[in-house]
Amino acid sequence: MADTFLTDLLPQLAGGAAHTHALGFAFEGLEGDRVRIRVPYRADLVGDPETGVLAGGLVTTLLDHVGGLAVWVALGGFKPVATLDLRVDYMRAAEAGRDLIAEARCYQMTRSIAFVRAWAFEDSPDNPVAASQAAYVVENTGGRPVGANLRGKGATA
């Protein structure tokens, strides 16, 4: 499953959802446990028309999405995940007219939480536009139906 997931499904997950498709997100590749996506520069994604700088919300969305992809890479397949916490530090404005790349790595996983670091940049993660630290909830029902822990002993669904 992991090989098929990484070669076939992960690229679709990078830009296949309605909002990621509309924003132009595209899979750039996978190197070890680091996943990359790109958003091509477009005038309709600019946040400040005077400078031509991409909108900050776009950068946040890019970092959040690539973080989710990194969780799926760490899991070796698709499971529902949800952003629990996302901190984004902006270091500088993105360069006008340039595509933005995001790279992420899931560096720690517990039974139900995945921890991810990500960077947005034009050329190299060594010169980031922004960096993020995030936590994602990973579905882990342990084979029990959702909500099973809320039912009293002997109760039926």
Side-chain angles (χ1 to χ4, degrees), residues 4-142:
T4 301
F5 170 75
L6 295 176
T7 59
D8 298 340
L9 190 55
L10 188 63
Q12 292 177 36
L13 291 169
H19 75 286
T20 57
H21 179 74
L23 293 171
F25 289 8
F27 183 72
E28 277 288 297
L30 182 65
E31 188 174 317
D33 61 354
R34 292 176 187 252
V35 62
R36 275 191 181 189
I37 60 176
R38 174 184 299 265
V39 61
Y41 184 89
R42 294 189 336 229
D44 63 324
L45 300 177
V46 168
D48 181 357
E50 287 186 28
T51 63
V53 172
L54 292 170
L58 173 71
V59 177
T60 299
T61 302
L62 184 67
L63 290 168
D64 187 28
H65 192 64
V66 77
L69 294 176
V71 173
W72 290 325
V73 168
L75 291 169
F78 179 83
K79 273 190 177 182
V81 299
T83 308
L84 176 64
D85 183 52
L86 175 66
R87 174 195 169 109
V88 178
D89 293 314
Y90 289 88
M91 288 132 197
R92 63 180 178 83
E95 295 175 21
R98 303 276 315 271
D99 292 358
L100 205 55
I101 300 166
E103 179 177 284
R105 177 179 178 266
C106 179
Y107 67 92
Q108 182 70 36
M109 181 92 63
T110 70
R111 257 181 357 111
S112 58
I113 306 291
F115 299 91
V116 175
R117 290 192 178 109
W119 307 264
F121 53 91
E122 294 96 0
D123 296 313
S124 167
D126 295 334
N127 186 23
V129 168
S132 69
Q133 172 75 33
Y136 297 83
V137 176
V138 179
E139 179 189 89
N140 185 4
T141 62

